[in-house]
Each structure stands twice: as C-alpha cells, then as structure tokens.
Amino acid sequence: MAIAKIDTIDIPGVYTQRVSREEVADEGRTAGGKLRRDVVVAGKRIWRLETRVITTAQRNALVNHLESIMWGFVDFWLDEFGAESNTVRAKVEIEEDRPTQLPNLRTLTLTITEQ
C-alpha cells in the first residue's frame, strides 16, 4: 500500500515525512509603533518527503507527470488522510540526488505546499 500519492501516482520509497505550517497573514507596525496583524488563514501545511533509493523509471513516472501538467497543482494524498479520495490540492517541488556509483537510481526530496 502506498504511503503517499500525487494524483494517481505512488511516491515510492517514502521513509521520512516532515510537516511544517506556513502562516498566511499580514503583519506590520502602525505609525505609533504598535504591532498589527491580520490573519487571512490560520496556516497552510508544507510536507517534506524523502525517498529511499528508487529506480529511474519510478522517478520518471512522477517527473513526467508533473511536467505534463506544467508543474501545476495536484491532488496530494497521504495515508494519514484516510481514504484515497481525501486529498489536498498542492504544489510539488522536487530535489533529486543521483548516487555516482549507482547511475540508474535516484533519491528524491519532495516539498509539497498546500494551495
């Protein structure tokens, strides 16, 4: 069973997951020096997933899909969301490492930001 998916594509080999929150607010000081803060939304989640070594074919399935939608927003699912229909619209960024002694393998770090 998959731990995470982007649209219908499994993210293979996920072994770490970090979650942070991005505050969506406007903050500034008034002319009198008082701090003012208007919160638009309480916060948006940012997930950082790391994979173990995966094959180039697995990497290509994910990257080719993202390229086909011009790196637009996707439906992101994590196992902790429950049913696979419980997704979040999100933007995906990928960092890729290629072990020099294993040219057909990759490790990925995905940063997934809630829309």
Side-chain angles (χ1 to χ4, degrees):
M1 182 175 152
I3 291 175
K5 288 187 175 195
I6 290 175
D7 290 332
T8 59
I9 300 170
D10 289 351
I11 303 172
V14 174
Y15 76 98
T16 64
Q17 169 191 329
R18 283 183 234 100
V19 182
S20 60
R21 298 205 181 258
E22 175 184 26
E23 182 181 83
V24 182
D26 184 34
E27 200 173 87
R29 297 218 176 255
T30 65
K34 185 174 182 178
L35 183 62
R36 170 194 61 73
R37 183 169 179 266
D38 295 321
V39 176
V40 177
V41 178
K44 295 291 185 172
R45 295 168 290 185
I46 301 170
W47 295 270
R48 188 170 172 94
L49 307 178
E50 294 182 16
T51 70
R52 297 198 184 283
V53 175
I54 62 174
T55 66
T56 303
Q58 291 171 308
R59 173 254 183 225
N60 290 346
L62 187 57
V63 171
N64 291 344
H65 173 69
L66 291 168
E67 287 176 349
S68 75
I69 61 168
M70 298 172 56
W71 294 84
F73 289 98
V74 299
D75 289 322
F76 173 63
W77 174 82
L78 274 176
D79 59 350
E80 66 189 42
F81 296 169
E84 290 187 17
S85 59
N86 297 335
T87 61
V88 172
R89 291 297 286 171
K91 177 185 75 151
V92 179
E93 297 175 23
I94 296 179
E95 295 175 47
E96 182 177 339
D97 289 315
R98 183 178 67 91
T100 54
Q101 51 289 57
L102 303 169
N104 294 322
L105 299 176
R106 305 285 188 268
T107 60
L108 303 178
T109 300
L110 295 90
T111 302
I112 301 157
T113 306
E114 186 174 12
Q115 185 176 24

